[in-house]
């Protein structure tokens, strides 16, 4: 599927194409990799939390962790229009799953990056935003032998988190 079809099918906005193609282009020139994306993702999470506060977003500490996380992810997805995002809990661990073909910021899917791994900023963006908005220690749990912050499973980009209080 070409970019024109993706723009129509995913209802991409200029900012989606801008971000995804910027990430893909920086990678193509050898300037960007997942490690750098992870470092900057936390900073983006800080800025998005400041944005959220200015917009009146707050989470009650009386909600369960599950309710807090879901509320925070809904807020981010409504503002950023990431795509189809789901949260699944398993005890103190939880998984944020983005339906891969719906992600409007994907450097591969939208930016057409030619790379082996990922350039996804969301693992660390979500981690920092959740840590600040839920007032809990929340960390990405690296997966597989490669210690990836994001793995692809059954059409989803899956990010594993743990609450570490």
């Amino acid at each position: 599927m070409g970019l024109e079809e993706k723009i129509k099918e995913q209802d991409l906005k200029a900012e989606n194409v801008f971000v995804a193609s910027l990430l893909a282009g920086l990678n193509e020139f050898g300037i960007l990799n997942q490690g750098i994306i992870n470092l900057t993702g936390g900073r983006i999470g800080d800025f998005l939390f400041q944005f959220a506060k200015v917009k009146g977003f707050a989470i009650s500490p009386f909600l369960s962790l599950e309710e807090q996380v879901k509320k925070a992810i809904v807020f981010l997805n409504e503002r950023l229009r990431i795509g189809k995002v789901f949260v699944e809990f398993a005890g103190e661990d939880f998984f944020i799953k983005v339906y891969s073909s719906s992600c409007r910021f994907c450097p591969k899917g939208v930016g057409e990056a030619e790379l082996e791994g990922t350039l996804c900023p969301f693992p660390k963006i979500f981690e920092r935003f959740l840590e600040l908005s839920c007032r809990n220690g929340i960390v990405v749990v690296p997966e597989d032998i490669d210690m990836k912050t994001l793995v692809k499973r059954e059409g989803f980009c899956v990010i594993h988190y743990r609450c570490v209080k």
Side-chain angles (χ1 to χ4, degrees):
M1 176 186 318
L3 182 57
E4 289 180 14
E5 290 86 17
K6 290 176 191 174
I7 291 168
K8 291 175 187 172
E9 185 176 299
Q10 292 180 252
D11 189 28
L12 298 177
K13 304 296 182 207
E15 59 266 26
N16 302 130
V17 175
F18 174 82
V19 170
S21 61
L22 175 67
L23 295 176
L26 290 173
N27 176 262
E28 191 174 302
F29 293 118
I31 300 169
L32 189 64
N33 60 38
Q34 187 63 51
I36 293 169
I37 288 288
N38 288 343
L39 291 172
T40 58
R43 186 169 190 272
I44 296 166
D46 283 335
F47 278 72
L48 286 171
F49 179 70
Q50 295 302 316
F51 170 82
K53 285 191 335 185
V54 169
K55 296 297 182 179
F57 177 74
I59 294 178
S60 169
F62 301 109
L63 296 174
S64 69
L65 178 63
E66 184 172 347
E67 292 170 311
Q68 290 180 24
V69 167
K70 287 181 178 179
K71 185 173 181 176
I73 295 303
V74 165
F75 174 86
L76 282 178
N77 197 28
E78 285 176 348
R79 298 318 181 282
L80 295 173
R81 296 183 62 246
I82 299 161
K84 295 177 184 170
V85 181
F86 306 91
V87 180
E88 295 177 0
F89 268 77
E92 292 295 307
D93 287 12
F94 61 95
F95 301 85
I96 297 178
K97 299 168 72 173
V98 179
Y99 187 57
S100 300
S101 65
S102 76
C103 184
R104 294 181 175 99
F105 292 91
C106 183
K108 279 182 161 180
V110 175
E112 300 180 348
E114 297 291 332
L115 64 145
E116 286 291 315
T118 66
L119 284 175
C120 183
F122 288 111
K124 291 296 186 169
I125 290 173
F126 291 157
E127 177 186 71
R128 186 66 178 145
F129 188 83
L130 291 171
E131 183 177 43
L132 293 169
S133 60
C134 300
R135 298 175 209 85
N136 271 297
I138 293 173
V139 296
V140 171
V141 178
E143 297 282 329
D144 298 333
I145 196 164
D146 297 333
M147 304 297 284
K148 296 176 184 174
T149 55
L150 178 149
V151 294
K152 299 249 183 182
R153 288 194 188 114
E154 300 171 2
F156 287 91
C157 293
V158 180
I159 312 160
H160 182 177
Y161 293 93
R162 180 168 296 141
C163 181
V164 293
K165 296 182 186 184

